[in-house]
Amino acid sequence: RLNSGQIQARNVAISPDGSRIVFKAELAGLEMLYVRDFTSFYAREIPGTEGGGSPAFSADGRWIAYCDDRFLYKVLLDGGLPTELAEVGGLFACRGVAWLSNETLIYVPTPSAGLFQISSDGSDQRQITFPDRSTNEISHRWPRALPDQKGVTFTIKDDQLLDFGDATVAVY
């Protein structure tokens, strides 16, 4: 049993068809990702996801992408080990992941970056948004796929922001 204090929204993903949920949880001192089919009463751990967070489902719901303190990964939910896709900037660096219908992942590798995109096979990595330093933007964070999975919403952090409840949300 988990209480709401143990799960943050950025560490939860619901599959596109609404049949599964993936979430980060701690059990016996080990944080990792778990998956639960809504037809089952129990969740199961996803092997190899220790320390992972910010999960995002693929459009077909068979894969998830997530970050740990070193890499962006993808893993097949029905078995297999995670595949490294890109480096991220260290402890608590990754600031979100979204998986779009065109097999593109959008992620934020460091706390002071814009959005990056990478193909789900690990190729074609590039930065796609750039914080506007002239308006005191620090980073673009927490990308979430739009319902059509063809774009994302994201949060703009600036140097005056004290509470993300007051943040600006943009669309890419």
Side-chain angles (χ1 to χ4, degrees), residues 131-155:
D132 183 352
R133 306 294 187 215
S134 71
T135 62
N136 300 317
E137 288 182 9
I138 294 172
S139 69
H140 298 162
R141 300 176 175 199
W142 314 125
R144 289 289 184 187
L146 293 169
D148 65 4
Q149 292 186 313
K150 294 182 180 177
V152 294
T153 60
F154 63 94
T155 303

mmCIF file with all atom_site columns, all heavy atoms in Angstrom, residues 131-155:
data_model
loop_
_atom_site.group_PDB
_atom_site.id
_atom_site.type_symbol
_atom_site.label_atom_id
_atom_site.label_alt_id
_atom_site.label_comp_id
_atom_site.label_asym_id
_atom_site.label_entity_id
_atom_site.label_seq_id
_atom_site.pdbx_PDB_ins_code
_atom_site.Cartn_x
_atom_site.Cartn_y
_atom_site.Cartn_z
_atom_site.occupancy
_atom_site.B_iso_or_equiv
_atom_site.pdbx_formal_charge
_atom_site.auth_seq_id
_atom_site.auth_comp_id
_atom_site.auth_asym_id
_atom_site.auth_atom_id
_atom_site.pdbx_PDB_model_num
ATOM 1   N N   . PRO A 1 131 ? 15.995 27.986 -23.283 1.00 0.00 ? 131 PRO A N   1
ATOM 2   C CA  . PRO A 1 131 ? 15.532 28.997 -22.337 1.00 0.00 ? 131 PRO A CA  1
ATOM 3   C C   . PRO A 1 131 ? 15.991 30.388 -22.782 1.00 0.00 ? 131 PRO A C   1
ATOM 4   O O   . PRO A 1 131 ? 17.124 30.565 -23.234 1.00 0.00 ? 131 PRO A O   1
ATOM 5   C CB  . PRO A 1 131 ? 16.192 28.591 -21.015 1.00 0.00 ? 131 PRO A CB  1
ATOM 6   C CG  . PRO A 1 131 ? 16.422 27.118 -21.161 1.00 0.00 ? 131 PRO A CG  1
ATOM 7   C CD  . PRO A 1 131 ? 16.759 26.925 -22.615 1.00 0.00 ? 131 PRO A CD  1
ATOM 8   N N   . ASP A 1 132 ? 15.091 31.350 -22.686 1.00 0.00 ? 132 ASP A N   1
ATOM 9   C CA  . ASP A 1 132 ? 15.386 32.728 -23.081 1.00 0.00 ? 132 ASP A CA  1
ATOM 10  C C   . ASP A 1 132 ? 16.045 33.435 -21.898 1.00 0.00 ? 132 ASP A C   1
ATOM 11  O O   . ASP A 1 132 ? 15.371 33.914 -20.993 1.00 0.00 ? 132 ASP A O   1
ATOM 12  C CB  . ASP A 1 132 ? 14.093 33.435 -23.495 1.00 0.00 ? 132 ASP A CB  1
ATOM 13  C CG  . ASP A 1 132 ? 14.312 34.840 -23.996 1.00 0.00 ? 132 ASP A CG  1
ATOM 14  O OD1 . ASP A 1 132 ? 15.451 35.370 -23.891 1.00 0.00 ? 132 ASP A OD1 1
ATOM 15  O OD2 . ASP A 1 132 ? 13.336 35.428 -24.498 1.00 0.00 ? 132 ASP A OD2 1
ATOM 16  N N   . ARG A 1 133 ? 17.347 33.476 -21.909 1.00 0.00 ? 133 ARG A N   1
ATOM 17  C CA  . ARG A 1 133 ? 18.093 34.071 -20.794 1.00 0.00 ? 133 ARG A CA  1
ATOM 18  C C   . ARG A 1 133 ? 17.794 35.565 -20.662 1.00 0.00 ? 133 ARG A C   1
ATOM 19  O O   . ARG A 1 133 ? 17.896 36.119 -19.573 1.00 0.00 ? 133 ARG A O   1
ATOM 20  C CB  . ARG A 1 133 ? 19.597 33.849 -20.959 1.00 0.00 ? 133 ARG A CB  1
ATOM 21  C CG  . ARG A 1 133 ? 20.009 32.398 -21.148 1.00 0.00 ? 133 ARG A CG  1
ATOM 22  C CD  . ARG A 1 133 ? 19.742 31.533 -19.941 1.00 0.00 ? 133 ARG A CD  1
ATOM 23  N NE  . ARG A 1 133 ? 20.329 30.208 -20.162 1.00 0.00 ? 133 ARG A NE  1
ATOM 24  C CZ  . ARG A 1 133 ? 19.808 29.088 -19.727 1.00 0.00 ? 133 ARG A CZ  1
ATOM 25  N NH1 . ARG A 1 133 ? 18.710 29.100 -19.015 1.00 0.00 ? 133 ARG A NH1 1
ATOM 26  N NH2 . ARG A 1 133 ? 20.391 27.934 -19.972 1.00 0.00 ? 133 ARG A NH2 1
ATOM 27  N N   . SER A 1 134 ? 17.403 36.241 -21.757 1.00 0.00 ? 134 SER A N   1
ATOM 28  C CA  . SER A 1 134 ? 17.105 37.683 -21.685 1.00 0.00 ? 134 SER A CA  1
ATOM 29  C C   . SER A 1 134 ? 15.847 37.961 -20.864 1.00 0.00 ? 134 SER A C   1
ATOM 30  O O   . SER A 1 134 ? 15.651 39.077 -20.390 1.00 0.00 ? 134 SER A O   1
ATOM 31  C CB  . SER A 1 134 ? 16.973 38.287 -23.084 1.00 0.00 ? 134 SER A CB  1
ATOM 32  O OG  . SER A 1 134 ? 15.783 37.840 -23.709 1.00 0.00 ? 134 SER A OG  1
ATOM 33  N N   . THR A 1 135 ? 14.981 36.930 -20.693 1.00 0.00 ? 135 THR A N   1
ATOM 34  C CA  . THR A 1 135 ? 13.796 37.087 -19.846 1.00 0.00 ? 135 THR A CA  1
ATOM 35  C C   . THR A 1 135 ? 13.942 36.280 -18.551 1.00 0.00 ? 135 THR A C   1
ATOM 36  O O   . THR A 1 135 ? 12.947 35.983 -17.896 1.00 0.00 ? 135 THR A O   1
ATOM 37  C CB  . THR A 1 135 ? 12.520 36.660 -20.591 1.00 0.00 ? 135 THR A CB  1
ATOM 38  O OG1 . THR A 1 135 ? 12.625 35.273 -20.938 1.00 0.00 ? 135 THR A OG1 1
ATOM 39  C CG2 . THR A 1 135 ? 12.289 37.512 -21.822 1.00 0.00 ? 135 THR A CG2 1
ATOM 40  N N   . ASN A 1 136 ? 15.181 35.919 -18.216 1.00 0.00 ? 136 ASN A N   1
ATOM 41  C CA  . ASN A 1 136 ? 15.518 35.226 -16.969 1.00 0.00 ? 136 ASN A CA  1
ATOM 42  C C   . ASN A 1 136 ? 14.999 33.794 -16.879 1.00 0.00 ? 136 ASN A C   1
ATOM 43  O O   . ASN A 1 136 ? 14.844 33.261 -15.782 1.00 0.00 ? 136 ASN A O   1
ATOM 44  C CB  . ASN A 1 136 ? 15.062 36.036 -15.751 1.00 0.00 ? 136 ASN A CB  1
ATOM 45  C CG  . ASN A 1 136 ? 15.726 37.383 -15.712 1.00 0.00 ? 136 ASN A CG  1
ATOM 46  O OD1 . ASN A 1 136 ? 16.915 37.505 -15.966 1.00 0.00 ? 136 ASN A OD1 1
ATOM 47  N ND2 . ASN A 1 136 ? 14.945 38.414 -15.424 1.00 0.00 ? 136 ASN A ND2 1
ATOM 48  N N   . GLU A 1 137 ? 14.719 33.163 -18.029 1.00 0.00 ? 137 GLU A N   1
ATOM 49  C CA  . GLU A 1 137 ? 14.362 31.754 -18.004 1.00 0.00 ? 137 GLU A CA  1
ATOM 50  C C   . GLU A 1 137 ? 15.594 30.926 -17.634 1.00 0.00 ? 137 GLU A C   1
ATOM 51  O O   . GLU A 1 137 ? 16.693 31.171 -18.124 1.00 0.00 ? 137 GLU A O   1
ATOM 52  C CB  . GLU A 1 137 ? 13.840 31.289 -19.362 1.00 0.00 ? 137 GLU A CB  1
ATOM 53  C CG  . GLU A 1 137 ? 12.472 31.811 -19.694 1.00 0.00 ? 137 GLU A CG  1
ATOM 54  C CD  . GLU A 1 137 ? 11.948 31.295 -21.020 1.00 0.00 ? 137 GLU A CD  1
ATOM 55  O OE1 . GLU A 1 137 ? 12.551 30.389 -21.636 1.00 0.00 ? 137 GLU A OE1 1
ATOM 56  O OE2 . GLU A 1 137 ? 10.907 31.819 -21.448 1.00 0.00 ? 137 GLU A OE2 1
ATOM 57  N N   . ILE A 1 138 ? 15.378 29.942 -16.764 1.00 0.00 ? 138 ILE A N   1
ATOM 58  C CA  . ILE A 1 138 ? 16.447 29.047 -16.340 1.00 0.00 ? 138 ILE A CA  1
ATOM 59  C C   . ILE A 1 138 ? 16.372 27.733 -17.101 1.00 0.00 ? 138 ILE A C   1
ATOM 60  O O   . ILE A 1 138 ? 17.379 27.202 -17.547 1.00 0.00 ? 138 ILE A O   1
ATOM 61  C CB  . ILE A 1 138 ? 16.372 28.795 -14.819 1.00 0.00 ? 138 ILE A CB  1
ATOM 62  C CG1 . ILE A 1 138 ? 16.664 30.103 -14.080 1.00 0.00 ? 138 ILE A CG1 1
ATOM 63  C CG2 . ILE A 1 138 ? 17.310 27.676 -14.391 1.00 0.00 ? 138 ILE A CG2 1
ATOM 64  C CD1 . ILE A 1 138 ? 16.429 30.030 -12.595 1.00 0.00 ? 138 ILE A CD1 1
ATOM 65  N N   . SER A 1 139 ? 15.154 27.203 -17.230 1.00 0.00 ? 139 SER A N   1
ATOM 66  C CA  . SER A 1 139 ? 15.004 25.914 -17.902 1.00 0.00 ? 139 SER A CA  1
ATOM 67  C C   . SER A 1 139 ? 13.581 25.710 -18.385 1.00 0.00 ? 139 SER A C   1
ATOM 68  O O   . SER A 1 139 ? 12.660 26.412 -17.979 1.00 0.00 ? 139 SER A O   1
ATOM 69  C CB  . SER A 1 139 ? 15.392 24.762 -16.970 1.00 0.00 ? 139 SER A CB  1
ATOM 70  O OG  . SER A 1 139 ? 14.452 24.635 -15.924 1.00 0.00 ? 139 SER A OG  1
ATOM 71  N N   . HIS A 1 140 ? 13.433 24.707 -19.228 1.00 0.00 ? 140 HIS A N   1
ATOM 72  C CA  . HIS A 1 140 ? 12.135 24.178 -19.651 1.00 0.00 ? 140 HIS A CA  1
ATOM 73  C C   . HIS A 1 140 ? 12.063 22.774 -19.082 1.00 0.00 ? 140 HIS A C   1
ATOM 74  O O   . HIS A 1 140 ? 12.988 21.980 -19.271 1.00 0.00 ? 140 HIS A O   1
ATOM 75  C CB  . HIS A 1 140 ? 12.035 24.161 -21.175 1.00 0.00 ? 140 HIS A CB  1
ATOM 76  C CG  . HIS A 1 140 ? 12.116 25.514 -21.774 1.00 0.00 ? 140 HIS A CG  1
ATOM 77  N ND1 . HIS A 1 140 ? 12.409 25.722 -23.097 1.00 0.00 ? 140 HIS A ND1 1
ATOM 78  C CD2 . HIS A 1 140 ? 11.962 26.752 -21.239 1.00 0.00 ? 140 HIS A CD2 1
ATOM 79  C CE1 . HIS A 1 140 ? 12.419 27.014 -23.364 1.00 0.00 ? 140 HIS A CE1 1
ATOM 80  N NE2 . HIS A 1 140 ? 12.158 27.667 -22.233 1.00 0.00 ? 140 HIS A NE2 1
ATOM 81  N N   . ARG A 1 141 ? 10.974 22.461 -18.362 1.00 0.00 ? 141 ARG A N   1
ATOM 82  C CA  . ARG A 1 141 ? 10.908 21.219 -17.584 1.00 0.00 ? 141 ARG A CA  1
ATOM 83  C C   . ARG A 1 141 ? 9.571  20.512 -17.738 1.00 0.00 ? 141 ARG A C   1
ATOM 84  O O   . ARG A 1 141 ? 8.591  21.091 -18.153 1.00 0.00 ? 141 ARG A O   1
ATOM 85  C CB  . ARG A 1 141 ? 11.080 21.510 -16.088 1.00 0.00 ? 141 ARG A CB  1
ATOM 86  C CG  . ARG A 1 141 ? 12.370 22.165 -15.736 1.00 0.00 ? 141 ARG A CG  1
ATOM 87  C CD  . ARG A 1 141 ? 12.427 22.494 -14.275 1.00 0.00 ? 141 ARG A CD  1
ATOM 88  N NE  . ARG A 1 141 ? 13.740 23.023 -13.925 1.00 0.00 ? 141 ARG A NE  1
ATOM 89  C CZ  . ARG A 1 141 ? 14.207 23.062 -12.714 1.00 0.00 ? 141 ARG A CZ  1
ATOM 90  N NH1 . ARG A 1 141 ? 13.492 22.621 -11.709 1.00 0.00 ? 141 ARG A NH1 1
ATOM 91  N NH2 . ARG A 1 141 ? 15.409 23.550 -12.477 1.00 0.00 ? 141 ARG A NH2 1
ATOM 92  N N   . TRP A 1 142 ? 9.551  19.267 -17.317 1.00 0.00 ? 142 TRP A N   1
ATOM 93  C CA  . TRP A 1 142 ? 8.371  18.428 -17.147 1.00 0.00 ? 142 TRP A CA  1
ATOM 94  C C   . TRP A 1 142 ? 7.508  18.345 -18.411 1.00 0.00 ? 142 TRP A C   1
ATOM 95  O O   . TRP A 1 142 ? 6.316  18.638 -18.382 1.00 0.00 ? 142 TRP A O   1
ATOM 96  C CB  . TRP A 1 142 ? 7.543  18.885 -15.943 1.00 0.00 ? 142 TRP A CB  1
ATOM 97  C CG  . TRP A 1 142 ? 8.365  19.150 -14.725 1.00 0.00 ? 142 TRP A CG  1
ATOM 98  C CD1 . TRP A 1 142 ? 8.397  20.301 -14.004 1.00 0.00 ? 142 TRP A CD1 1
ATOM 99  C CD2 . TRP A 1 142 ? 9.304  18.276 -14.082 1.00 0.00 ? 142 TRP A CD2 1
ATOM 100 N NE1 . TRP A 1 142 ? 9.303  20.187 -12.966 1.00 0.00 ? 142 TRP A NE1 1
ATOM 101 C CE2 . TRP A 1 142 ? 9.877  18.953 -12.992 1.00 0.00 ? 142 TRP A CE2 1
ATOM 102 C CE3 . TRP A 1 142 ? 9.730  16.964 -14.340 1.00 0.00 ? 142 TRP A CE3 1
ATOM 103 C CZ2 . TRP A 1 142 ? 10.826 18.377 -12.159 1.00 0.00 ? 142 TRP A CZ2 1
ATOM 104 C CZ3 . TRP A 1 142 ? 10.693 16.399 -13.518 1.00 0.00 ? 142 TRP A CZ3 1
ATOM 105 C CH2 . TRP A 1 142 ? 11.216 17.107 -12.440 1.00 0.00 ? 142 TRP A CH2 1
ATOM 106 N N   . PRO A 1 143 ? 8.098  17.924 -19.531 1.00 0.00 ? 143 PRO A N   1
ATOM 107 C CA  . PRO A 1 143 ? 7.284  17.747 -20.736 1.00 0.00 ? 143 PRO A CA  1
ATOM 108 C C   . PRO A 1 143 ? 6.238  16.654 -20.536 1.00 0.00 ? 143 PRO A C   1
ATOM 109 O O   . PRO A 1 143 ? 6.509  15.630 -19.904 1.00 0.00 ? 143 PRO A O   1
ATOM 110 C CB  . PRO A 1 143 ? 8.308  17.340 -21.799 1.00 0.00 ? 143 PRO A CB  1
ATOM 111 C CG  . PRO A 1 143 ? 9.423  16.703 -21.028 1.00 0.00 ? 143 PRO A CG  1
ATOM 112 C CD  . PRO A 1 143 ? 9.483  17.462 -19.725 1.00 0.00 ? 143 PRO A CD  1
ATOM 113 N N   . ARG A 1 144 ? 5.045  16.898 -21.042 1.00 0.00 ? 144 ARG A N   1
ATOM 114 C CA  . ARG A 1 144 ? 3.949  15.918 -21.019 1.00 0.00 ? 144 ARG A CA  1
ATOM 115 C C   . ARG A 1 144 ? 3.351  15.873 -22.410 1.00 0.00 ? 144 ARG A C   1
ATOM 116 O O   . ARG A 1 144 ? 3.043  16.916 -22.996 1.00 0.00 ? 144 ARG A O   1
ATOM 117 C CB  . ARG A 1 144 ? 2.855  16.309 -20.020 1.00 0.00 ? 144 ARG A CB  1
ATOM 118 C CG  . ARG A 1 144 ? 3.249  16.168 -18.587 1.00 0.00 ? 144 ARG A CG  1
ATOM 119 C CD  . ARG A 1 144 ? 3.339  14.717 -18.219 1.00 0.00 ? 144 ARG A CD  1
ATOM 120 N NE  . ARG A 1 144 ? 3.625  14.585 -16.801 1.00 0.00 ? 144 ARG A NE  1
ATOM 121 C CZ  . ARG A 1 144 ? 3.884  13.440 -16.223 1.00 0.00 ? 144 ARG A CZ  1
ATOM 122 N NH1 . ARG A 1 144 ? 3.894  12.339 -16.916 1.00 0.00 ? 144 ARG A NH1 1
ATOM 123 N NH2 . ARG A 1 144 ? 4.148  13.378 -14.961 1.00 0.00 ? 144 ARG A NH2 1
ATOM 124 N N   . ALA A 1 145 ? 3.163  14.677 -22.935 1.00 0.00 ? 145 ALA A N   1
ATOM 125 C CA  . ALA A 1 145 ? 2.588  14.526 -24.270 1.00 0.00 ? 145 ALA A CA  1
ATOM 126 C C   . ALA A 1 145 ? 1.163  15.062 -24.289 1.00 0.00 ? 145 ALA A C   1
ATOM 127 O O   . ALA A 1 145 ? 0.384  14.860 -23.349 1.00 0.00 ? 145 ALA A O   1
ATOM 128 C CB  . ALA A 1 145 ? 2.604  13.063 -24.686 1.00 0.00 ? 145 ALA A CB  1
ATOM 129 N N   . LEU A 1 146 ? 0.836  15.761 -25.374 1.00 0.00 ? 146 LEU A N   1
ATOM 130 C CA  . LEU A 1 146 ? -0.538 16.191 -25.604 1.00 0.00 ? 146 LEU A CA  1
ATOM 131 C C   . LEU A 1 146 ? -1.393 14.959 -25.904 1.00 0.00 ? 146 LEU A C   1
ATOM 132 O O   . LEU A 1 146 ? -0.867 13.898 -26.257 1.00 0.00 ? 146 LEU A O   1
ATOM 133 C CB  . LEU A 1 146 ? -0.586 17.171 -26.771 1.00 0.00 ? 146 LEU A CB  1
ATOM 134 C CG  . LEU A 1 146 ? 0.102  18.514 -26.519 1.00 0.00 ? 146 LEU A CG  1
ATOM 135 C CD1 . LEU A 1 146 ? 0.221  19.300 -27.822 1.00 0.00 ? 146 LEU A CD1 1
ATOM 136 C CD2 . LEU A 1 146 ? -0.657 19.309 -25.476 1.00 0.00 ? 146 LEU A CD2 1
ATOM 137 N N   . PRO A 1 147 ? -2.720 15.065 -25.786 1.00 0.00 ? 147 PRO A N   1
ATOM 138 C CA  . PRO A 1 147 ? -3.570 13.884 -26.021 1.00 0.00 ? 147 PRO A CA  1
ATOM 139 C C   . PRO A 1 147 ? -3.345 13.202 -27.373 1.00 0.00 ? 147 PRO A C   1
ATOM 140 O O   . PRO A 1 147 ? -3.433 11.978 -27.466 1.00 0.00 ? 147 PRO A O   1
ATOM 141 C CB  . PRO A 1 147 ? -4.988 14.449 -25.911 1.00 0.00 ? 147 PRO A CB  1
ATOM 142 C CG  . PRO A 1 147 ? -4.840 15.586 -24.949 1.00 0.00 ? 147 PRO A CG  1
ATOM 143 C CD  . PRO A 1 147 ? -3.500 16.197 -25.292 1.00 0.00 ? 147 PRO A CD  1
ATOM 144 N N   . ASP A 1 148 ? -3.015 13.971 -28.416 1.00 0.00 ? 148 ASP A N   1
ATOM 145 C CA  . ASP A 1 148 ? -2.757 13.350 -29.725 1.00 0.00 ? 148 ASP A CA  1
ATOM 146 C C   . ASP A 1 148 ? -1.337 12.802 -29.847 1.00 0.00 ? 148 ASP A C   1
ATOM 147 O O   . ASP A 1 148 ? -0.964 12.217 -30.855 1.00 0.00 ? 148 ASP A O   1
ATOM 148 C CB  . ASP A 1 148 ? -3.048 14.314 -30.862 1.00 0.00 ? 148 ASP A CB  1
ATOM 149 C CG  . ASP A 1 148 ? -2.114 15.526 -30.891 1.00 0.00 ? 148 ASP A CG  1
ATOM 150 O OD1 . ASP A 1 148 ? -1.162 15.610 -30.073 1.00 0.00 ? 148 ASP A OD1 1
ATOM 151 O OD2 . ASP A 1 148 ? -2.336 16.396 -31.746 1.00 0.00 ? 148 ASP A OD2 1
ATOM 152 N N   . GLN A 1 149 ? -0.525 13.004 -28.838 1.00 0.00 ? 149 GLN A N   1
ATOM 153 C CA  . GLN A 1 149 ? 0.871  12.560 -28.758 1.00 0.00 ? 149 GLN A CA  1
ATOM 154 C C   . GLN A 1 149 ? 1.717  13.088 -29.917 1.00 0.00 ? 149 GLN A C   1
ATOM 155 O O   . GLN A 1 149 ? 2.683  12.473 -30.323 1.00 0.00 ? 149 GLN A O   1
ATOM 156 C CB  . GLN A 1 149 ? 0.956  11.038 -28.675 1.00 0.00 ? 149 GLN A CB  1
ATOM 157 C CG  . GLN A 1 149 ? 0.425  10.503 -27.370 1.00 0.00 ? 149 GLN A CG  1
ATOM 158 C CD  . GLN A 1 149 ? 0.639  9.032  -27.219 1.00 0.00 ? 149 GLN A CD  1
ATOM 159 O OE1 . GLN A 1 149 ? 0.370  8.264  -28.133 1.00 0.00 ? 149 GLN A OE1 1
ATOM 160 N NE2 . GLN A 1 149 ? 1.127  8.635  -26.067 1.00 0.00 ? 149 GLN A NE2 1
ATOM 161 N N   . LYS A 1 150 ? 1.380  14.278 -30.401 1.00 0.00 ? 150 LYS A N   1
ATOM 162 C CA  . LYS A 1 150 ? 2.163  14.895 -31.477 1.00 0.00 ? 150 LYS A CA  1
ATOM 163 C C   . LYS A 1 150 ? 2.923  16.125 -30.996 1.00 0.00 ? 150 LYS A C   1
ATOM 164 O O   . LYS A 1 150 ? 3.641  16.745 -31.769 1.00 0.00 ? 150 LYS A O   1
ATOM 165 C CB  . LYS A 1 150 ? 1.253  15.249 -32.647 1.00 0.00 ? 150 LYS A CB  1
ATOM 166 C CG  . LYS A 1 150 ? 0.685  14.014 -33.311 1.00 0.00 ? 150 LYS A CG  1
ATOM 167 C CD  . LYS A 1 150 ? -0.175 14.344 -34.490 1.00 0.00 ? 150 LYS A CD  1
ATOM 168 C CE  . LYS A 1 150 ? -0.692 13.049 -35.097 1.00 0.00 ? 150 LYS A CE  1
ATOM 169 N NZ  . LYS A 1 150 ? -1.580 13.288 -36.199 1.00 0.00 ? 150 LYS A NZ  1
ATOM 170 N N   . GLY A 1 151 ? 2.762  16.484 -29.752 1.00 0.00 ? 151 GLY A N   1
ATOM 171 C CA  . GLY A 1 151 ? 3.453  17.617 -29.158 1.00 0.00 ? 151 GLY A CA  1
ATOM 172 C C   . GLY A 1 151 ? 3.443  17.478 -27.656 1.00 0.00 ? 151 GLY A C   1
ATOM 173 O O   . GLY A 1 151 ? 2.915  16.494 -27.118 1.00 0.00 ? 151 GLY A O   1
ATOM 174 N N   . VAL A 1 152 ? 4.024  18.471 -26.974 1.00 0.00 ? 152 VAL A N   1
ATOM 175 C CA  . VAL A 1 152 ? 4.100  18.421 -25.514 1.00 0.00 ? 152 VAL A CA  1
ATOM 176 C C   . VAL A 1 152 ? 3.744  19.771 -24.903 1.00 0.00 ? 152 VAL A C   1
ATOM 177 O O   . VAL A 1 152 ? 3.904  20.816 -25.538 1.00 0.00 ? 152 VAL A O   1
ATOM 178 C CB  . VAL A 1 152 ? 5.519  18.025 -25.017 1.00 0.00 ? 152 VAL A CB  1
ATOM 179 C CG1 . VAL A 1 152 ? 5.864  16.613 -25.411 1.00 0.00 ? 152 VAL A CG1 1
ATOM 180 C CG2 . VAL A 1 152 ? 6.578  18.997 -25.465 1.00 0.00 ? 152 VAL A CG2 1
ATOM 181 N N   . THR A 1 153 ? 3.292  19.714 -23.668 1.00 0.00 ? 153 THR A N   1
ATOM 182 C CA  . THR A 1 153 ? 3.282  20.896 -22.812 1.00 0.00 ? 153 THR A CA  1
ATOM 183 C C   . THR A 1 153 ? 4.545  20.810 -21.969 1.00 0.00 ? 153 THR A C   1
ATOM 184 O O   . THR A 1 153 ? 5.079  19.718 -21.750 1.00 0.00 ? 153 THR A O   1
ATOM 185 C CB  . THR A 1 153 ? 2.052  20.946 -21.885 1.00 0.00 ? 153 THR A CB  1
ATOM 186 O OG1 . THR A 1 153 ? 2.062  19.792 -21.038 1.00 0.00 ? 153 THR A OG1 1
ATOM 187 C CG2 . THR A 1 153 ? 0.757  21.007 -22.680 1.00 0.00 ? 153 THR A CG2 1
ATOM 188 N N   . PHE A 1 154 ? 5.022  21.962 -21.505 1.00 0.00 ? 154 PHE A N   1
ATOM 189 C CA  . PHE A 1 154 ? 6.181  21.968 -20.620 1.00 0.00 ? 154 PHE A CA  1
ATOM 190 C C   . PHE A 1 154 ? 6.123  23.210 -19.742 1.00 0.00 ? 154 PHE A C   1
ATOM 191 O O   . PHE A 1 154 ? 5.421  24.168 -20.036 1.00 0.00 ? 154 PHE A O   1
ATOM 192 C CB  . PHE A 1 154 ? 7.503  21.887 -21.396 1.00 0.00 ? 154 PHE A CB  1
ATOM 193 C CG  . PHE A 1 154 ? 7.777  23.046 -22.317 1.00 0.00 ? 154 PHE A CG  1
ATOM 194 C CD1 . PHE A 1 154 ? 8.532  24.128 -21.899 1.00 0.00 ? 154 PHE A CD1 1
ATOM 195 C CD2 . PHE A 1 154 ? 7.289  23.047 -23.614 1.00 0.00 ? 154 PHE A CD2 1
ATOM 196 C CE1 . PHE A 1 154 ? 8.798  25.194 -22.749 1.00 0.00 ? 154 PHE A CE1 1
ATOM 197 C CE2 . PHE A 1 154 ? 7.542  24.102 -24.476 1.00 0.00 ? 154 PHE A CE2 1
ATOM 198 C CZ  . PHE A 1 154 ? 8.296  25.179 -24.045 1.00 0.00 ? 154 PHE A CZ  1
ATOM 199 N N   . THR A 1 155 ? 6.864  23.163 -18.647 1.00 0.00 ? 155 THR A N   1
ATOM 200 C CA  . THR A 1 155 ? 6.913  24.244 -17.679 1.00 0.00 ? 155 THR A CA  1
ATOM 201 C C   . THR A 1 155 ? 8.156  25.086 -17.909 1.00 0.00 ? 155 THR A C   1
ATOM 202 O O   . THR A 1 155 ? 9.235  24.541 -18.136 1.00 0.00 ? 155 THR A O   1
ATOM 203 C CB  . THR A 1 155 ? 6.948  23.674 -16.251 1.00 0.00 ? 155 THR A CB  1
ATOM 204 O OG1 . THR A 1 155 ? 5.807  22.835 -16.073 1.00 0.00 ? 155 THR A OG1 1
ATOM 205 C CG2 . THR A 1 155 ? 6.930  24.772 -15.210 1.00 0.00 ? 155 THR A CG2 1
#
